[in-house]
Amino acid sequence: MKIVPALLLFILSFTFPAGAQTASLPSTYCNPMNLDYGFTPIPNFSEQGRHRATADPVISYFKGKYYLFSTNQWGYWWSKDMLQWNFVSRRFLQPYHKVYDELCAPATLTLGDSLLVIGSTYAKDFTLWYSQKPETDTWKEAVHAFTAGAWDPAFFLDDDNRLYLYHGSSNFYPMYGQELDRKTLQPIGERKDLIKLNDELHGWERFGEYQDNTFLKPFMEGAWMNKYKGKYYLQYGAPGTEFSAYGDGVYTADHPMGPFTYQAHNPFSFKPGGFTRGAGHGATFEGQYGNWWHVSTITIAVKNSFERRLGLWPTYFDQDGIMFTNTAYGDYPHYIPTKKVDKPSELFTGWMLLNYNKPVRVSSSLPGYSANFAVDEQMKTYWSAASSKKGEWIETDLGEVSTLKALQLNYADQDVDSSFLGKMNGIYHQYQVLGSKDGKKWEIIIDKSTNKTDIPHDYVELHKSVEVRYLKLVNHHMAAGKFAISGIRAFGFGHGQKPGVIKDLLVLRGEHDSRSAWLKWGQKPNATGYVIYSGIAPDKMYTSVQVFGTNEYYFKSMDRGKTYYFQIEAFNENGIGERGPIIESKIIESKSSL
């Protein structure tokens, strides 16, 4: 639909009305993390179009600040609160390193008053850097040539000051462990084989978007180690970074070099459904107030298999020492805590998505990139306007007047200039968001028409909620490419009824392969979608899957021969319905089927 000239003039000349608001300092965040992601620096990775990409993150809480490193960013971020991140430009490779990967899958280590960092390499000449004030570019060499040659490395300093290295990235070789000399920071002795994938037993480790495992063995990568109450937690990513079911598993031990035992609940970090998918190859860390977090990779994998973003998930240890993350509604707004939090429910705002698959109008559309792709809750799809010109717009109808609490604007990369390789400095987004109750009288809700920062996944928490039915996002300036949106996501509360309880969940689990089950349930006419919970006990249902627009799901992430429990709830823009009864799925396979 073409924009009417009179309306265009109205929008572009609209002044900020008395009493209108800008965003206040936020108390909430929303995945994917709103970072000024760099573009992939690798030309043959962007033949389908230049695009932003990163993955394999690690966050270190050091001297009261959070430091975030991830693949190929030509720098890193720091934050006081994990709400607002500051980018520090820095190249860590030496001039003689002739590779594209600038800190690919980095590892960090806190030693006394210093933070250390290194990237992945099979070579033995990468530098291990340190800084005592990493909020600025003040890095020095700790070790000029680190001789371990580790890909996807992770460091761990134990309470007795013995230092260890874990690493591995392969669909054949295991994950390795090795002790390091605390003084020289070089390897001691031979590395040791620690753990390997077992996809014949663990359903979630099977390769493929649908875990069919018919063409390639799965990959184990992304080592990480934590210690909690005397127990060691060795973590790993699987089965492949390009898949929605990319997750992180964990083995435990009483010694940092094992022997290791597969945790009964796995994967402990998992998000195969919703707008952001994938929660693998990450790092677990303890932050402010003693709260634990897991930062991980989110997959897009449209322009390239390595097109990815980052997500942040609250993490917990239960009374039995089971590690788990909470990813239920994990890409909806959550609070950053200001105290110690013991229950996942304390961090979820309860603000619901208001515009899933609701009517959309746009100023123009590029063929193949239709308007409703901006509200289909799939990060892989997006709407694109025909240009990047000021005045292009997209309007989303919430269906009824609703209470708006926050808005997330996810930009997509369409027809980005061919020169955009690596971190691009000086680029920025500018826009306005207008709201209306009737589609006739409009007021500005958010004004970023003078913004000078790069905000590809901008999340704006309103300091005062507004009652609105229509939202119009108007482009003023694009950081790169055409005006394209993968998700305009409005959060708050509708004024209708929540969906009712689902009492007819059916779990059909095959006797020949109990790694998989088909789930079916009755539709709720007023439901936007459903969240399926599963786990190894009624009080350990830590896995969640969010589905939209269907009343069935093929769940393929169980361990063979193990009893699982399932429960389901429906949700819509008005809230979350009561969970249904817990269903036990008990299968004991014969030895001949193993």
Side-chain angles (χ1 to χ4, degrees), residues 13-14 22 58 84 140 160 191 220 233 288 342 357 363 367 379 382 390 405-407 409 437 444-445 451 533 593:
S13 62
F14 199 95
T22 57
V58 53
Q84 296 177 320
K140 299 178 182 179
D160 59 5
R191 67 188 186 188
M220 171 179 275
Y233 294 78
Q288 196 174 18
D342 297 315
N357 266 354
S363 54
M379 204 170 174
Y382 58 89
K390 182 178 182 179
K405 303 288 290 186
L407 194 67
L409 306 174
K437 291 183 177 180
I444 295 177
I445 296 175
N451 173 64
Y533 297 91
S593 68

Side-chain angles (χ1 to χ4, degrees), residues 155-172:
F155 296 109
F156 173 70
L157 181 65
D158 206 350
D159 300 333
D160 59 5
N161 277 328
R162 293 178 70 176
L163 181 60
Y164 300 88
L165 170 71
Y166 305 91
H167 62 99
S169 179
S170 174
N171 67 342
F172 179 79

